[in-house]
Amino acid sequence: VHPDDLAKLKTMLEQAMNGESYHECEYRYQINDKEKVIWFRGFVEIKNTKPLRLRGTLMDVTERHSMLRE
């Protein structure tokens, strides 16, 4: 995760782990000197007060961001 987006993503994950309904987050991800923009929407299933699984959609929206910048 891009350093400038790390706090935003951590906050969203903490809220999700506390059982707060759906969450949506867009963040930059760096791999092999390439930057991608990732969009996530979903929720964390809680069982016996512990996170069980993360359910949602994760999509690479890098191309859309490039088109918007142009």
Side-chain angles (χ1 to χ4, degrees), residues 37 60-70:
V37 181
D60 181 346
V61 293
T62 306
E63 189 173 321
R64 181 181 71 116
H65 273 261
S66 294
M67 289 175 19
L68 288 172
R69 277 193 298 253
E70 290 175 14

Side-chain angles (χ1 to χ4, degrees), residues 25-41:
C25 187
E26 209 169 85
Y27 59 92
R28 292 168 289 171
Y29 178 77
Q30 293 177 304
I31 188 167
N32 299 331
D33 295 327
K34 291 183 182 179
E35 183 175 285
K36 300 224 176 240
V37 181
I38 305 297
W39 171 81
F40 167 78
R41 180 171 186 222

Side-chain angles (χ1 to χ4, degrees), residues 6-70:
L6 192 56
K8 173 174 64 172
L9 183 61
K10 280 184 177 182
T11 298
M12 187 273 305
L13 288 172
E14 287 171 3
Q15 290 171 344
M17 298 290 264
N18 289 328
E20 297 179 28
S21 66
Y22 278 93
H23 292 279
E24 189 170 332
C25 187
E26 209 169 85
Y27 59 92
R28 292 168 289 171
Y29 178 77
Q30 293 177 304
I31 188 167
N32 299 331
D33 295 327
K34 291 183 182 179
E35 183 175 285
K36 300 224 176 240
V37 181
I38 305 297
W39 171 81
F40 167 78
R41 180 171 186 222
F43 65 96
V44 175
E45 281 186 49
I46 306 292
K47 185 174 182 178
N48 299 327
T49 69
K50 298 199 183 240
L52 176 64
R53 72 181 70 139
L54 181 65
R55 294 186 139 199
T57 301
L58 185 73
M59 186 183 305
D60 181 346
V61 293
T62 306
E63 189 173 321
R64 181 181 71 116
H65 273 261
S66 294
M67 289 175 19
L68 288 172
R69 277 193 298 253
E70 290 175 14

